[in-house]
Amino acid sequence: MPVISAPHAFNESQLYVDLRSIFGHPLYLKCEGFNFAGSIKLKAATEMVEAAEKDGLLTPDSILVESSSGNLGVALSMIAASKGYRFLCVTDSRCNLSTRLLMEALGSKVHVISDLDANGGFLGARIEYVRALCAADDRYVWLSQYTNPGNWRAHYRKTAPEIASQFPRLDVLFVGAGTTGTLMGCARYFRQWHRPVHIVAVDAVGSVAFGGEPGRRMIPGLGMSMRPPLLDESYVDEVIRVEEADTIRACHRLARRGFLFGGSTGTVVSGAMDWLSRHGTGDLTAVAIAPDLGERYLDTIYQANWLHDLYGEHIIDSEEVTTGSRTGSESMTRTTGRRPKS
């Protein structure tokens, strides 16, 4: 039994759920929500804070500040509380209420942006607010998850090797795309591995991370209203965009089998199942990364009134729940010369 003195010292990262019995296709779901921060963002947060400490950027007077839709804010709140730093999270109105309350319970301040940026999202407005704070007061230290190499390096050093050790015959990996830290870290690692791995990025419809028109996105986590600075598309073999309705259906289908996951996980699972249904499973070994669990989404994805107001009364069919991504032109394949086995 582990004994710890700092909350970020514990992270159960070797738990996988076999989804074959639920969705009919073989897919191993890597669960990253079993730590005190409740998400995969603990890895990036720890890496970035420790690098800032090593570089001498953090002092007892420093105030950490970060733009986050939720999970990274919680991870930084936890680490800041443990290490004695002050922390301000700049988020927006899509952030789940339970997430905001959790950050405040950990002693952090939360500022909510309500004005849309030029791309119809909140990210640009959040970043401008952070920049203004840093320009006005040099006590603020912005880790900048969107540009900080520690974001992807955490997954190059930890997440990808964890998958590799468990699945030495891995063929295809599905990774959700937000800041693309997880995606880039894993993709870089497996590009150098002993066998080719097909890297599939899963994005939300309405995100402009990989190009395309911006659109309404109500579920925080995946997707960006600007091109992610960390993204290098040469490491990505394929991109799948998932409608939020399909994200919700995947979450509810998992919940009806006892697995309560967050919105990002629903998006990744939906995209992965669409890909597997179109490519055939054969003897493929497929893994997807589940960034968080579902408790923080009880007042949104799992709340009937919220769903009906935004997506209509028939978003969830009580008799049959289906999953999948938008087909045809919404699924984008890159020609790299590296394809999974059939």
Side-chain angles (χ1 to χ4, degrees):
M1 180 179 68
V3 177
I4 63 172
S5 57
H8 52 281
F10 171 76
N11 188 14
E12 172 53 65
S13 57
Q14 287 290 9
L15 178 65
Y16 295 81
V17 177
D18 186 347
L19 298 183
R20 185 194 299 262
S21 65
I22 302 175
F23 291 94
H25 296 291
L27 180 68
Y28 298 102
L29 188 63
K30 188 179 194 300
C31 301
E32 289 280 352
F34 292 99
N35 56 60
F36 284 100
S39 81
I40 196 171
K41 289 293 188 177
L42 176 62
K43 291 177 176 176
T46 302
E47 182 84 16
M48 292 189 295
V49 169
E50 290 180 350
E53 290 176 329
K54 182 178 179 181
D55 294 340
L57 299 177
L58 289 172
T59 70
D61 293 330
S62 295
I63 306 172
L64 282 168
V65 61
E66 187 57 78
S67 161
S68 170
S69 62
N71 283 337
L72 183 71
V74 172
L76 287 173
S77 293
M78 187 190 77
I79 293 171
S82 174
K83 291 176 173 284
Y85 297 119
R86 287 174 289 176
F87 173 57
L88 169 64
C89 180
V90 179
T91 188
D92 59 65
S93 55
R94 295 174 305 173
C95 180
N96 298 323
L97 175 61
S98 59
T99 299
R100 300 202 300 265
L101 294 175
L102 179 53
M103 288 188 279
E104 291 171 349
L106 290 166
S108 299
K109 302 294 185 182
V110 180
H111 180 81
V112 180
I113 296 291
S114 57
D115 295 328
L116 296 174
D117 58 29
N119 289 324
F122 294 99
L123 180 56
R126 284 174 12 203
I127 290 175
E128 284 305 312
Y129 185 87
V130 172
R131 285 175 174 158
L133 280 179
C134 294
D137 189 337
D138 59 10
R139 292 178 302 168
Y140 284 101
V141 176
W142 182 23
L143 297 176
S144 184
Q145 62 167 322
Y146 311 106
T147 59
N148 194 321
N151 189 347
W152 68 261
R153 192 177 296 124
H155 304 288
Y156 181 90
R157 293 174 50 187
K158 295 180 180 179
T159 308
E162 290 162 0
I163 296 170
S165 67
Q166 188 74 24
F167 299 96
R169 303 293 296 175
L170 179 67
D171 295 301
V172 58
L173 178 64
F174 300 93
V175 188
T179 64
T180 68
T182 307
L183 174 65
M184 286 294 95
C186 291
R188 282 188 167 94
Y189 180 91
F190 284 112
R191 178 63 62 88
Q192 302 169 353
W193 208 36
H194 71 276
R195 60 184 276 115
V197 175
H198 193 72
I199 302 296
V200 180
V202 184
D203 198 10
V205 169
S207 165
V208 301
F210 295 90
E213 292 296 319
R216 184 187 77 164
R217 292 181 293 112
M218 300 304 299
I219 300 173
L222 300 187
M224 292 274 279
S225 57
M226 69 178 190
R227 179 180 173 82
L230 295 177
L231 176 61
D232 183 342
E233 292 185 61
S234 68
Y235 287 95
V236 180
D237 297 306
E238 194 168 350
V239 177
I240 292 178
R241 295 182 175 92
V242 175
E243 294 274 10
E244 287 192 333
D246 293 317
T247 291
I248 292 163
R249 293 183 184 112
C251 286
H252 280 256
R253 188 165 180 173
L254 286 162
R256 290 177 185 184
R257 296 296 294 270
F259 294 104
L260 195 71
F261 284 104
S264 297
T265 299
T267 301
V268 173
V269 169
S270 179
M273 290 303 165
D274 174 81
W275 190 96
L276 291 168
S277 69
R278 290 184 286 108
H279 288 78
T281 54
D283 59 348
L284 285 177
T285 298
V287 171
I289 298 175
D292 62 1
L293 301 178
E295 290 90 341
R296 295 173 193 169
Y297 301 83
L298 293 178
D299 57 349
T300 54
I301 289 175
Y302 297 103
Q303 211 280 327
N305 290 338
W306 187 87
L307 291 175
H308 294 166
D309 288 346
L310 291 173
Y311 305 98
E313 293 185 0
H314 302 292
I315 181 66
I316 299 297
D317 189 326
S318 60
E319 297 298 325
E320 181 180 2
V321 180
T322 60
T323 188
S325 69
R326 178 180 286 185
T327 57
S329 62
E330 288 300 330
S331 181
M332 182 168 58
T333 303
R334 307 192 180 284
T335 303
T336 63
R338 300 190 299 117
R339 289 290 177 265
K341 300 184 299 179
S342 59

